[in-house]
Amino acid sequence: MPSRAIAFEAAHLTRRRFRAVIAALVLGVVAVALLCVAVGPVRIDLAAALFGFGDASAIDSVILFRTRLPRVLLANCVGAALAMTGAVLQALLRNPLAEPHILGVSGGAAFGGVLTLFLAAGAPVPSYLLTPFGAFAGALAAMLVVYRLGTVNGRLQPYTFLLAGVVCNAFTGALIMAVNAVADLFQTHGILFWLMGSLATTSYPLVLASAFFVALGGVLVARHARALNALTLGEDNATQLGVDVSAVRRLCFVVCSLLVGASVAVSGMIGFVGLIVPHVTRLLLGSDHRLLLPASALVGGMFLSVADTVARSLSSTSELPVGVITALTGGPFFVYLLRRQSSRGLW
Amino acid sequence: MKRAGQGVGVELRDVTFGYRREPVVRDVGFAVPPGGFVGVIGPNGSGKSTLIKLMSGVIRPWRGEVRVAGDDAARLPRAELARRVAVVPQETDLPFPYTVLEMVLFGRTPHLSGFAFEGDSDLAVARAALERTGTLDLAERAVTELSGGERQRVVLARALAQEPRVLLLDEPSAFLDIRHEVEMYDLLRELQREGLTVVSVLHDLNLAALYCDSIVLLAEGRVFCEGTPAEVMTYANLTEVYQTEVYVTMNEITDTMNILPLDAAHREPLSRAREARRPPRER
């Protein structure tokens, strides 16, 4: 029966479908990036700007390559990092509502960054080189605390874990306010500016560094995509399928801390990307993590570039923090998911 | 049942394990011959499910060892153990809507490395498992949309896709109606006759008597007794272990034991009679 054979093809992830989907999404990322660099308060001629590459007198070209392109590239890196983290945490916690912010990881990263800014005042090294390390250390510390609290006898308890994350978020929020209160006015301004976050950058080295972290983290977790699939069936089931659960879990948590730390360090707290993107990607492309992880990364990049473009284009005199756009779209979406989940009795 | 030494499917040697300080399984030892169909029965909290976890390597014994096809399970790599032993749990809670085929292909996990795509041979194994469990027509459906009976057959198909030598089941029919229950055990018996070793935890004593060649009766984490269903499932053993009166009879059609519950009005006279039969110093 030929029809049966075709249905069998469509019911699982084949190499052919994987390649087709990834190719289509890469094209999508390029198209969205072109669209985003073309849009802005100043109208530029994209073709002329592209051809004027390197010519400092061609103003369109300068706007394109010095301000808009690095920003769009950075948005892609950060979006990819947050979306992949969301996808991994959702698998580990077996809960489609897990997200780095809800788990307190980004709160930890933010506190780490703020503390670095506060302590590094007067240090010979510029603070923007130190904050990524502070943010990563903060993310890792928060993750360790939440992980410790959320595992009992070596088994992960998703509900305890989520609650521990919420508490950790509130706790680091209080710590940030405390640091802010003792800092002087000049520092406070710097801290708030950093916390609010922005993808505005003209630094290609920064973009490259982010891309490196995202690629490294992505490869590390993607190698365990099959184990993540098994883990969504529960830890015992995964063990019985031959997965070394505690090793995979540890690696994934460290990588998530790395990704969140790196993204909070360059762009502050950007919420809901890690929640919406994997969720929508799963709805459209299925739940196999071999496809879900890279696809979420690409979709996350597209989503954040668009959100950032909207944020900087709404007004020509000032710009909204991109986190405002992602939260305004993500908040209601989260509530919608929560309602749908509880009506299906999963919560 | 204890054929010491050669050709053992699964063997527990003086296994002790507990989740906290108190052991829940104490010095348990029994052997399941290859191709055997063994039922593990006992009251709630007697350690039945813990035994399944011990035999599948989810937990490691404090003392003693679990041997699978001749090797100490604690020393086998996890993937190797998963190629020998597969488990059908009581219930699988599924947060994400995988297709039935994807779910069955998860059974290939111990045979494949990290990111690899399934090859033709993996698909052939999955197809055979789907056919075997009568779920081929469901292949494209989402597992989250299936009925309890369908879902449990898919989970069995996943276990078969692991191509195990030993199949462990933890009350696999706890949420199935009577028809799906016997269909599942009929299939397990067929698989056993083809050479699979089956160890099942059962709540239903009648099913245990009907399908198992031998029974291990647990009480408070220890083996109370083991043997053929007729040897183990006697009125004396069951009333002592389960602490209630039952009516034990022979099923004329299947020629196996039937164990029927009794209500309080019928239990009390039996208890009094049993009490009266005991030697005076025990009273």
Side-chain angles (χ1 to χ4, degrees):
Chain A
M1 270 190 292
S3 61
R4 165 60 53 204
I6 290 162
F8 217 63
E9 273 284 283
H12 76 293
L13 180 66
T14 56
R15 180 169 308 180
R16 201 167 51 176
R17 188 158 79 91
F18 176 82
R19 285 187 180 151
V21 170
I22 294 298
L25 287 174
V26 168
L27 284 179
V29 166
V30 172
V32 167
L34 281 175
L35 191 76
C36 290
V37 294
V39 174
V42 182
R43 188 177 286 272
I44 60 169
D45 179 349
L46 199 58
L50 283 171
F51 285 118
F53 174 69
D55 179 359
S57 64
I59 189 73
D60 281 6
S61 203
V62 171
I63 291 178
L64 176 66
F65 287 106
R66 293 296 302 279
T67 68
R68 288 192 191 166
L69 187 61
R71 185 167 182 159
V72 168
L73 292 176
L74 190 64
N76 273 290
C77 293
V78 172
L82 292 172
M84 270 196 297
T85 309
V88 170
L89 291 176
Q90 286 166 13
L92 288 178
L93 296 176
R94 309 183 64 215
N95 193 318
L97 300 180
E99 201 241 4
H101 290 266
I102 297 168
L103 295 180
V105 188
S106 42
F111 174 64
V114 166
L115 199 64
T116 314
L117 283 175
F118 177 66
L119 297 175
V125 197
S127 63
Y128 68 85
L129 287 178
L130 295 173
T131 45
F133 295 100
F136 173 58
L140 197 61
M143 194 99 235
L144 278 176
V145 169
V146 173
Y147 185 83
R148 257 299 149 78
L149 293 174
T151 42
V152 180
N153 291 329
R155 298 164 66 86
L156 197 145
Q157 312 286 332
Y159 296 107
T160 319
F161 202 98
L162 285 169
L163 276 178
V166 171
V167 170
C168 179
N169 238 354
F171 193 75
T172 49
L175 287 176
I176 289 172
M177 282 197 273
V179 171
N180 229 347
V182 295
D184 62 46
L185 199 63
F186 179 69
Q187 274 188 326
T188 305
H189 184 257
I191 287 172
L192 282 181
F193 188 77
W194 180 80
L195 269 182
M196 204 126 76
S198 164
L199 291 162
T201 179
T202 54
S203 160
Y204 280 100
L206 182 71
V207 171
L208 271 178
S210 312
F212 170 75
F213 279 119
V214 173
L216 179 70
V219 169
L220 284 175
V221 288
R223 285 179 57 231
H224 293 285
R226 185 182 294 282
L228 285 175
N229 283 343
L231 269 165
T232 61
L233 306 175
E235 295 191 350
D236 287 359
N237 279 308
T239 307
Q240 287 156 352
L241 288 170
V243 174
D244 187 346
V245 171
S246 51
V248 171
R249 214 170 50 186
R250 258 198 313 270
L251 175 101
C252 287
F253 280 126
V254 171
V255 170
C256 285
S257 309
L258 175 81
L259 291 173
V260 172
S263 63
V264 170
V266 298
S267 61
M269 306 263 272
I270 299 174
F272 292 101
V273 179
L275 174 75
I276 312 174
V277 172
H279 212 95
V280 170
T281 311
R282 194 179 288 115
L283 279 179
L284 296 174
L285 299 173
S287 304
D288 191 322
H289 289 78
R290 286 173 295 173
L291 181 59
L292 185 65
L293 292 174
S296 292
L298 295 167
V299 174
M302 284 192 259
F303 174 69
L304 197 58
S305 337
V306 171
D308 186 49
T309 305
V310 171
R312 67 181 163 80
S313 312
L314 279 179
S315 145
S316 57
T317 50
S318 67
E319 60 173 64
L320 280 171
V322 62
V324 171
I325 303 290
T326 58
L328 285 180
T329 47
F333 188 74
F334 181 83
V335 173
Y336 159 75
L337 290 179
L338 196 65
R339 293 292 302 177
R340 224 178 57 136
Q341 290 276 343
S342 50
S343 70
R344 281 195 290 158
L346 285 174
W347 264 52
Chain B
M1 190 169 74
K2 243 182 191 162
R3 266 174 268 154
Q6 81 277 26
V8 170
V10 190
E11 187 184 1
L12 276 77
R13 291 184 182 167
D14 300 323
V15 170
T16 299
F17 172 83
Y19 295 97
R20 299 219 164 87
R21 275 201 196 138
E22 275 298 288
V24 293
V25 165
R26 299 157 200 257
D27 302 317
V28 167
F30 62 86
V32 182
F37 197 134
V38 173
V40 179
I41 60 172
N44 293 337
S46 58
K48 305 187 297 284
S49 299
T50 306
L51 279 191
I52 295 286
K53 287 184 187 173
L54 282 162
M55 286 190 269
S56 59
V58 171
I59 47 181
R60 301 264 156 93
W62 287 354
R63 284 197 303 279
E65 61 179 11
V66 176
R67 297 187 76 83
V68 175
D71 296 299
D72 183 354
R75 286 166 203 251
L76 286 175
R78 290 210 174 279
E80 176 56 30
L81 186 59
R83 287 191 286 266
R84 297 185 187 187
V85 179
V87 182
V88 176
Q90 202 175 100
E91 199 183 15
T92 313
D93 144 50
L94 297 159
F96 301 116
Y98 291 106
T99 67
V100 166
L101 178 59
E102 281 175 321
M103 181 76 170
V104 174
L105 283 171
F106 288 165
R108 301 304 293 162
T109 305
H111 297 268
L112 292 161
S113 65
F115 199 88
F117 288 89
E118 293 85 4
D120 291 340
S121 61
D122 299 305
L123 281 169
V125 171
R127 176 185 282 269
L130 286 164
E131 270 169 1
R132 205 60 215 267
T133 52
T135 48
L136 189 58
D137 289 335
L138 305 175
E140 310 138 69
R141 296 263 301 277
V143 279
T144 42
E145 290 166 10
L146 302 179
S147 71
E150 290 169 334
R151 187 185 279 205
Q152 206 55 330
R153 278 187 288 155
V154 169
V155 173
L156 177 59
R158 182 188 79 200
L160 295 181
Q162 283 175 253
E163 298 182 290
R165 287 189 243 174
V166 179
L167 185 64
L168 307 175
L169 303 104
D170 188 0
E171 291 184 40
S173 60
F175 298 97
L176 302 187
D177 64 33
I178 194 161
R179 179 191 135 197
H180 290 108
E181 195 163 46
V182 290
E183 283 178 357
M184 173 151 237
Y185 276 95
D186 284 339
L187 176 57
L188 291 174
R189 176 177 279 169
E190 258 179 61
L191 292 164
Q192 179 220 356
R193 295 206 167 133
E194 291 161 23
L196 190 68
T197 307
V198 181
V199 180
S200 180
V201 164
L202 292 115
H203 215 68
D204 188 323
L205 301 175
N206 296 310
L207 275 182
L210 188 54
Y211 285 97
C212 301
D213 339 304
S214 58
I215 299 286
V216 175
L217 174 59
L218 293 180
E220 291 168 3
R222 295 178 197 275
V223 176
F224 184 83
C225 68
E226 54 177 303
T228 64
E231 287 163 4
V232 173
M233 298 166 89
T234 60
Y235 172 76
N237 286 341
L238 295 176
T239 45
E240 179 161 357
V241 170
Y242 284 89
Q243 300 280 304
T244 187
E245 296 295 329
V246 287
Y247 175 51
V248 181
T249 177
M250 207 65 175
N251 183 322
E252 286 171 17
I253 298 176
T254 59
D255 212 19
T256 57
M257 314 293 280
N258 269 181
I259 294 91
L260 301 172
L262 296 172
D263 60 1
H266 293 92
R267 282 200 307 270
E268 273 150 25
L270 281 171
S271 292
R272 278 198 299 275
R274 192 152 59 96
E275 193 72 4
R277 281 199 305 274
R278 278 209 226 167
R281 62 188 152 77
E282 273 188 33
R283 274 185 227 170

